[in-house]
């Protein structure tokens, strides 16, 4: 008989005092069974707060790692341990360590999309929800390194007037939105607001009515008077947008321009989509794959995440 994954997940969650946290880029069925969904900042904040014994982090590996760094006494499970991140991969710790060593007078700001080893080289971690405010919390004359996302770093440099040294990393999903495709969609839907994640290149961000983290884009879409939105970030976020505002129309921005087909919903993160309901069920049942981190590394990596959470709390983020 086929297993009812939703029912089994509910049962195992209660039996094991487990909590399921999911990123907005997860498939709709996973978002629907998650106890909490959010962007990278919210997931870190929720991990810090939960009193569950087990966290099942439905996202990609660095998100599970961040939860484990924050909660060493809890069991942190991920549905698929091979779900990586092209952005985190674009910043190998040994190369980043050399870059940091070449600039000893710089403080290091790292995007949360990094491995624990890169976080251990970092002064403050940021997410797209708090990067601007955290950069501004440094004195104007403090020299800064920002890694690994070059697009987000350039965007923050522009917003703050800083001149941070940027690591040349990128996310393969946000890199490939088509400017021509978005312009064509905008002509077809003249009243639509364009929502863009700042991991996208500057030419795409330039088209935005609102640039922001996934949570920021969601908030804007819900409070805006507009009825239509063109969304240039991973298409998983459309599930929550549509759920919270069923009367509005959310159009995924196309990853490539094509006369024949514009507006396809195929700009998905293949890593995020490796997770399935079955894998969530198996992770809970078998209590693996478990995220484990060397304690020495964890102690170094937790400091910049704690700083981020402290600054964010002070700023009410
Ligand atoms: P946020 O969750 O901070 O919006 O980041 C988007 C992302 O690419 C996560 O992998
Ligand atoms: Fe990494 Fe990009 Fe996927 Fe986010 S969308 S997990 S940054 S590859």
């Amino acid at each position: 008989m086929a297993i009812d994954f939703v029912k089994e997940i509910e049962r195992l969650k209660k039996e094991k005092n487990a909590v399921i946290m999911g990123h907005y880029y997860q498939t709709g069925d996973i978002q629907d069974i998650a106890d909490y969904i959010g962007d990278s900042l919210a997931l870190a904040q929720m991990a810090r707060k939960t009193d569950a014994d087990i966290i099942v982090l439905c996202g990609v590996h660095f998100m599970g790692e961040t939860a484990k760094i924050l909660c060493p006494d809890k069991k942190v499970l991920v549905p698929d341990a091979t779900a990586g991140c092209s952005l985190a991969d674009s910043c190998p710790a040994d190369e980043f360590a050399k870059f940091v060593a070449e600039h000893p007078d710089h403080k290091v700001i790292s995007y949360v999309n990094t491995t624990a080893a890169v976080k251990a080289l970092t002064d403050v971690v940021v997410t797209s929800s708090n990067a601007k405010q955290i950069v501004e919390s440094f004195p104007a004359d403090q020299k800064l390194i920002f890694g690994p996302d070059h697009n987000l770093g350039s965007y923050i440099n522009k917003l703050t007037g800083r001149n941070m040294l940027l690591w040349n990393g990128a996310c393969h999903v946000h890199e490939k939105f088509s400017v021509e495709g978005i312009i064509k969609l905008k002509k077809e839907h003249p009243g639509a607001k364009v929502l863009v994640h700042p991991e996208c290149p500057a030419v795409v961000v330039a088209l935005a009515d609102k640039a922001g983290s996934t949570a920021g884009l969601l908030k804007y879409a819900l409070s805006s008077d507009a009825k239509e939105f063109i969304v240039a970030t991973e298409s998983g976020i459309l599930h929550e947008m549509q759920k919270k505002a069923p009367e509005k129309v959310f159009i995924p921005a196309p990853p490539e321009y094509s006369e024949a087909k514009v507006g396809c919903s195929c700009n998905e993160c293949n890593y995020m989509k490796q997770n399935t309901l079955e894998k969530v069920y198996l992770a809970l049942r078998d209590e693996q794959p478990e995220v484990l981190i060397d304690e020495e590394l964890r102690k170094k990596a937790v400091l910049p995440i704690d700083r981020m959470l402290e600054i964010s709390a002070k700023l009410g983020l």
Side-chain angles (χ1 to χ4, degrees), residues 9-28:
I9 289 169
E10 279 307 316
R11 182 183 67 75
L12 288 165
K13 250 174 32 181
K14 284 195 194 102
E15 187 183 302
K16 301 188 180 206
N17 188 27
V19 69
I20 299 180
M21 298 182 186
H23 190 271
Y24 288 126
Y25 297 165
Q26 292 295 283
T27 51

Side-chain angles (χ1 to χ4, degrees), residues 127-129 131-133 135 146 149-162 164 166 196-206 208-213 217:
T127 76
S128 47
S129 276
K132 174 177 175 282
Q133 292 88 338
V135 168
F146 187 96
D149 192 88
H150 196 275
N151 291 330
L152 179 65
S154 306
Y155 174 70
I156 302 294
N157 268 344
K158 205 167 152 195
L159 286 184
T160 60
R162 306 271 172 138
M164 299 187 291
L166 307 180
V196 179
H197 197 287
E199 283 176 29
C200 294
V203 283
V204 177
V205 176
D209 293 293
K210 167 73 185 171
S213 69
L217 299 182

Side-chain angles (χ1 to χ4, degrees), residues 23 25 39-41 60 62-63 111 113 127-129 174 197 199 213-215 272:
H23 190 271
Y25 297 165
D39 68 353
S40 307
L41 175 61
V60 292
F62 78 81
M63 295 178 173
Y111 197 29
N113 301 40
T127 76
S128 47
S129 276
H174 289 92
H197 197 287
E199 283 176 29
S213 69
T214 38
M272 285 280 181

